[in-house]
Amino acid sequence: MAQQLCHRTRSLLRLSAIVSSSSASSSLIPLSDSIIPRQQQQRAGFAADALTVDVPVPFKAHKCDAPSLSVETSAQELLSFFKTMFTMRRMEIAADSLYKSKFIRGFCHLYDGQEAVCVGMEASLNQKDCIITAYRDHCIHLGRGGTLLEVFSELMGRKDGCSLGKGGSMHMYNKKGGFFGGNGIVGAQTPLGAGLAFAQKYLKVDGVTLTMYGDGAANQGQLFEAMNIAALWSLPVIFVCENNHYGMGTAEWRSAKSPEYYKRGDYVPGMKVDGMDCLAVKQAVKYAKEQALKNGPFVLEFDTYRYHGHSMSDPGSTYRTRDEISGVRQERDPIERIRKLLLSLEIASVSDLKTLEKEAKSEVDEALAKAKESPQPDTSELFSHIWVKGYGAEAYGADRKEVVVKLP
Amino acid sequence: MAMARQALAATAVTTGNVVPLAASSSSRFPRLQLVTPIVSHELGRCRLATRSSATSYFGTAPQNRGTTNVTTNAVATKEASTSSATTTGGHELLLFEALREGLEEELDRDPTVCVIGEDVGHYGGSYKVTKGFVEKFGDWRLLDTPICENSFTGMAIGAAMTGLRPVIEGMNMGFLLLAYNQIANNCGMLHYTSGGQFTIPVVIRGPGGVGRQLGAEHSQRLESYFQSVPGLQMVACSTPYNAKGLMKAAIRSENPVILFEHVLLYNLKEKIPDEEYTCCLEEAELVRPGEDITILTYSRMRYHVTQAAKTLVNKGYDPEIIDIRSLKPFDMYTIGQSVKKTHRVLIVEECMRTGGIGASLRAAIMENFFDDLDAPIGCLSSQDVPTPYSGPLEELTVVQPPQIVAAVEQLCSRE
């Protein structure tokens, strides 16, 4: 067992080494080849900060052609990636200390390490697209237009939470932003996602649904059922597997006969992407969206990593070594990658980035303080939203004179 | 208040709008307009009935309910044509045809209604409830699914989150056990856990109950399994009239509704009104008024009870029979009024004894009407056994009319 763990750590570190060395080289040499120098841009009338970056780790494609490794982006976009990911990181760390000081109870699943997936996805999506995911949803809620105050309040069960304090960490939803949760049961969100895509096709909405799940959920039967019906009816759904290599305490090689999750759709085309690289994620989602709108379902596997344990109740070190965690943090951290990129492209200086970081920190602290002051929900909220006020669904007392349950 | 609400809802409906969804609907999913305007009294089957003197008792609004002007046989039959409020003759059909009529009217009325299930499209429905629909409405609205209850139920719930109104058909209610997680965790809870952001206006329907020697796994009664899931509404239809009315009301309701049909009742014949009507989802139906004892029942057992009632009447008893129809929430008003009148209760159900609908109903009646009772509440349910294949044994698992007669005699003889 220990031997296999060591083997696992070694192979992950080897992968990190490849990635970091190639990214180190590619962030200097190929980039300088492919970046259009600033003066030339301005002369040629390009957008002042548009540029192209080469993504180091190649895409692995299954029954489709991989897109190009040159990603179009802009200085502004890269800066926003940095700021957003940093904010998300601070938010998750704040949630960690809230949990330890018992402001957050129950289960709290943190997303730090995986921010690139969420932020990269949003760069290729728009208002018409829908996202549904499982319980590691705080950052995705933020990415879809939620506010820090909503997230912190919901985590602490207060009135200002996005679900009025009644959902908690695992049940965050944002209807306006097109975020459909926030689901507690592993894998149960995959048929729901197929349903969202069904509605998009039925109502002729020009959008896709991203149904996210993890490597643990990839072994659920309902996922394969959902893939079958999505492929049968060409539903515009992208099945996104966030492969962080551990299903709670069980490593992927111990739970899946075939850990090539992007191939498990069989007749559904798929692609494996380095999930710690924002730009690779952006490119992959852009490509997958085009495919999904034309041909039906697509599977994306993002190779990512979580620094925390499965949840706050899990130390995260009994099934993996601390070396592995710190190794990934040093070699593949998504925020550090963007930082290096920004510095090497001279889009921002060290002090600029420090300012952004400070801004993010203060936003998070402010929201946290406000959330702590938010009141607990009213007692009447216990009974509200059980039923929608439809055709007279009220629960009266026996005499129908005394209303025991009031519906809004 | 209930009247006002129904009036409001009726007005909303007559102007041709879809029943209003939450105000904060985004432009993400376009709202489809209704195609046909509604006849103004389509909800008023309930209200029409209260105004005319020769009333049918079922479906009246609570405030106008009284103990006067009640016909002795509230089920519309050929003999009772004068008691119904129909101006035209009405038309006769079988229960599955009534379900089909209700479903067709709703599919016509609202383009967001669709049917999802196994063999609902090209095959026409395993019990012919959707026969001929796919030619009229298309493959996309009568969706033939592969055999994957868990995921197609989940898919329908996901679609409902965006504003579509799917009707999920389980070929047999028992198969929906495979979708239990989706129904309990997602369908029932999403409105609550999202703080009211999403509504799930699905209808889950299908035949259940003990049939003719179908075997244990095809004779399931799921009402007991779903009754404690918060957020679900459950109704059981028993006549062509209430089948059509409940189907329509369930589709229009913003709540997830489980409509329990019975596999042996599909060929019941009855005359139903020509004009459009719905039944109230939360109300019970008075089948026969009486003075001596209140018999509460639903679905197929209603017919065993009415058969037993003939024997009882000959023996000099006067039972009041109520078809509770709404299994969740119970219509405690109608039930309470009856208990206060007769002081004795017998529940006759097809559920298992342990944890069945009768068990909950007994507790609710005892809690609310203990002082009005002269005898313990009787409850006749099916035996706690898997339904055997053998004919005589299967007959023994369900409640039969002689048992009902004996139970009534026993309850009425107590002082």
Side-chain angles (χ1 to χ4, degrees), chain B residues 75-322:
Chain B
V75 178
T77 59
K78 284 185 206 135
E79 300 88 55
S81 53
T82 49
S83 66
S84 74
T86 51
T87 43
T88 55
H91 55 285
E92 210 173 52
L93 40 54
L94 305 178
L95 195 144
F96 78 87
E97 290 170 342
L99 287 167
R100 189 163 98 216
E101 225 177 67
L103 193 46
E104 187 167 8
E105 285 172 18
E106 292 304 301
L107 281 163
D108 270 326
R109 173 181 178 266
D110 185 349
T112 59
V113 177
C114 52
V115 182
I116 297 178
E118 294 158 15
D119 282 328
V120 294
H122 294 211
Y123 193 81
S126 47
Y127 291 92
K128 295 179 281 192
V129 173
T130 49
K131 190 156 182 217
F133 283 3
V134 72
E135 289 86 3
K136 187 171 171 192
F137 299 107
D139 275 325
W140 213 235
R141 294 184 74 191
L142 270 300
L143 197 64
D144 277 329
T145 63
I147 305 176
C148 49
E149 279 77 8
N150 194 358
S151 51
F152 74 68
T153 308
M155 191 186 92
I157 294 166
M161 284 169 95
T162 68
L164 287 190
R165 306 179 90 87
V167 176
I168 304 165
E169 174 171 315
M171 193 180 272
N172 185 295
M173 269 295 188
F175 305 161
L176 291 179
L177 286 172
L178 288 160
Y180 196 92
N181 175 58
Q182 295 291 349
I183 297 172
N185 280 331
N186 289 329
C187 185
M189 289 193 193
L190 272 168
H191 187 58
Y192 190 84
T193 55
S194 67
Q197 286 179 68
F198 296 109
T199 60
I200 315 289
V202 295
V203 176
I204 301 173
R205 53 161 290 267
V210 175
R212 297 247 183 273
Q213 297 186 258
L214 298 176
E217 290 174 3
H218 290 72
S219 312
Q220 299 273 37
R221 285 131 284 171
L222 292 200
E223 46 270 26
S224 46
Y225 300 148
F226 289 127
Q227 65 173 323
S228 54
V229 177
L232 291 180
Q233 262 192 279
M234 306 199 308
V235 288
C237 64
S238 49
T239 65
Y241 179 86
N242 63 35
K244 179 176 173 184
L246 290 174
M247 167 76 93
K248 289 169 72 81
I251 292 174
R252 294 186 198 185
S253 169
E254 292 297 318
N255 297 308
V257 179
I258 307 188
L259 172 57
F260 290 96
E261 302 154 15
H262 197 287
V263 75
L264 290 181
L265 295 183
Y266 278 136
N267 291 327
L268 267 183
K269 197 184 275 198
E270 191 188 0
K271 196 180 229 178
I272 66 168
D274 288 327
E275 63 263 27
E276 207 176 344
Y277 68 94
T278 57
C279 287
C280 185
L281 287 173
E282 298 86 21
E283 284 180 352
E285 187 179 318
L286 181 71
V287 181
R288 180 191 189 281
E291 296 289 329
D292 289 346
I293 182 170
T294 299
I295 306 183
L296 302 171
T297 181
Y298 66 92
S299 193
R300 183 183 166 221
M301 287 297 116
R302 169 187 174 138
Y303 296 96
H304 282 204
V305 168
T306 43
Q307 204 182 329
K310 291 188 194 140
T311 317
L312 286 168
V313 164
N314 287 338
K315 289 192 174 186
Y317 293 96
D318 188 20
E320 176 154 297
I321 305 175
I322 293 179

Side-chain angles (χ1 to χ4, degrees), chain A residues 22 36 103 187 233 251:
Chain A
S22 57
I36 306 158
F103 278 98
W233 301 320

Side-chain angles (χ1 to χ4, degrees), chain B residues 24 46 63-64 74 109 124 214 225 244-245 247 260 271 278 319 326-327 349 354 363 368 387 393 402:
Chain B
S24 60
C46 307
Q63 279 74 7
N64 292 340
R109 173 181 178 266
L214 298 176
Y225 300 148
K244 179 176 173 184
M247 167 76 93
F260 290 96
K271 196 180 229 178
T278 57
S326 172
L327 305 179
E349 55 162 2
T354 308
N368 291 304
T387 313
L393 285 183

